Amino acid sequence: MIIAAGQFSAVPGDIAANAARMAALLTEAAGRGAGLVVFSELALTHYDLRLIAADPAGMTVTEDDPRLAPVREACRAGGVAAVVNGAGRPPEGGNRPTIASFVFGPDGALLTRYDKIHLSETESELFAPGSTDGRFTLGGIRFALATCFDNAFPEVPARAAADGCRVYLSSAFHDAPERLTRYADMAREHGLQVLLANGTEIGSPGPACGLSGVWLPTGERVATAAEWTAPEPGGAAELVCADARDRITLMADPAVAAVPVKESGEPLVDVRTAAPGLLVAEDRTDVSGAFAQLREGVLRRLLAAQDALPDGLRLQFVEGYRPPSLQRRYFEEYADELRAAHPGRDAALIHDAASRYVSPPDIAPHSAGSAVDVTLVTTEGGHVDMGTPINASPEESDGACYTSAPGLTPTARANRRVLSAALTAAGLVNYPTEWWHWSYGDRYWALATGADHALYGPKEWDDR
């Protein structure tokens, strides 16, 4: 996934205008292949506390505020998520607003809301502090949210790392470049990729310096926006992007294996007879028909996704169930290829790298009958450009097999977005290293959705 900081000069007090600027940046980001854009602290109103205090009703928002409609629509149209910070209406039972980050998903719906926990003395006169850490999962990556003064407290990034977060997102209004050195230290100390979306122009604390950017877990800065020094006609806007694909939670991650399974006992069904309206790929050598088996609940959701596709498109089913013995063979064969290509590489690294493309046998979604490899075709079964063939490895495709890979053609990116939207709405989750792999009810699904257990465990094949 490409993540981006959207740096722009907010119009003081004009939420509609600022939402429109955000929407334009989201559209640009989607065109550049980004999956997430983060905006600065109080970007919806500009960081002017006097304006908010003078009109708390007009300057505060909820996630469904009509003025944010352009943001939600840009997320839906571009298949990109957004972290939008503004003055949030008081949560239920509260009587003061908060400094809130609203996270809108690629479908425009709210993923989570984070209310800034650590307030400055001046902020405390107007806002109430939040009480819960900000967390969400998107594209196989667990993200942490923080807002400006939060970052002065070392326990905030420490908790994020302890919670399994891989990327740390900060919306801020820092006034001096010297304040940004903390982000490199934070990245190094906690092994986090860190993104800062910083403000510009003059606000209540004084001028903000811009310089939004991204730091790798090594502390190296890999993206930097312009420094703000003086107003510019029309207000400058800029996106800075960085690749976060190596922060994806892989199948080999211990967190996946740690998810308990409460087997539902749901049977496997043959999609060829149970769903005659589903196109099944014919180029299979599996005479037993194991590949065409799928759990009933997964098949129901797959058919719902097909019904949601635009006219002229349909799904093509390529593979579902995979017997554990076959899964083990595939995994070892690919691991052997990696060992041959990297003879000095540590065994644990080979295991992790292999899991980008083939799941470890003990937790494999395919062997639970809960995963499906699927693509788009035309109604007549014609080819649709998805950027790579199904089952293209990271090496063969130069990483283009990743769902949110950079460098895709606009057509391939749009087609992946259509496939993702339909399958996600039906309740399936994607394994982000393979655009074609989707699952429901398995351990990876449970981890990605926050379910407390998986519904399906590995199942032996009996073709009698």
Side-chain angles (χ1 to χ4, degrees), residues 46-107:
H46 186 52
Y47 194 111
D48 189 328
L49 303 189
R50 292 170 298 177
L51 283 174
I52 299 169
D55 183 13
M59 293 293 103
T60 57
V61 299
T62 57
E63 67 271 14
D64 57 356
D65 192 298
R67 293 169 292 182
L68 301 189
V71 171
R72 297 189 293 266
E73 178 52 34
C75 288
R76 280 191 293 269
V80 60
V83 179
V84 176
N85 193 280
R89 296 264 169 86
E92 187 174 347
N95 55 17
R96 289 195 295 164
T98 64
I99 298 178
S101 285
F102 298 95
V103 183
F104 296 103
D107 59 355

Side-chain angles (χ1 to χ4, degrees), residues 293-383:
Q293 309 298 311
L294 209 57
R295 298 278 191 155
E296 284 181 329
V298 183
L299 179 56
R300 285 197 305 272
R301 288 164 175 80
L302 197 61
L303 293 174
Q306 176 158 272
D307 290 343
L309 289 173
D311 290 344
L313 293 173
R314 66 189 299 193
L315 297 178
Q316 183 179 52
F317 176 101
V318 176
E319 185 178 16
Y321 175 72
R322 189 180 294 159
S325 59
L326 182 59
Q327 182 71 29
R328 186 168 291 104
R329 193 187 94 200
Y330 283 172
F331 185 82
E332 288 303 327
E333 286 176 350
Y334 183 52
D336 286 344
E337 289 180 22
L338 295 176
R339 290 185 192 100
H342 308 282
R345 184 170 292 182
D346 179 84
L349 294 178
I350 291 290
H351 187 269
D352 287 352
S355 77
R356 296 171 304 160
Y357 182 56
V358 185
S359 175
D362 293 342
I363 55 91
H366 277 294
S367 295
S370 59
V372 58
D373 292 343
V374 64
T375 188
L376 289 177
V377 293
T378 66
T379 305
E380 296 75 27
H383 173 73

Side-chain angles (χ1 to χ4, degrees), residues 263-268 295-298 300 440 455-456 459:
E263 174 58 55
S264 70
E266 193 176 289
L268 293 169
R295 298 278 191 155
E296 284 181 329
V298 183
R300 285 197 305 272
Y440 169 82
L455 306 176
Y456 311 130
K459 193 174 181 66

Side-chain angles (χ1 to χ4, degrees), residues 13 23 104 122 137 173 177 190 210 223 241 290 355 460:
F104 296 103
T122 305
T137 299
F173 199 84
H190 301 290
C241 303
S355 77
E460 291 296 336

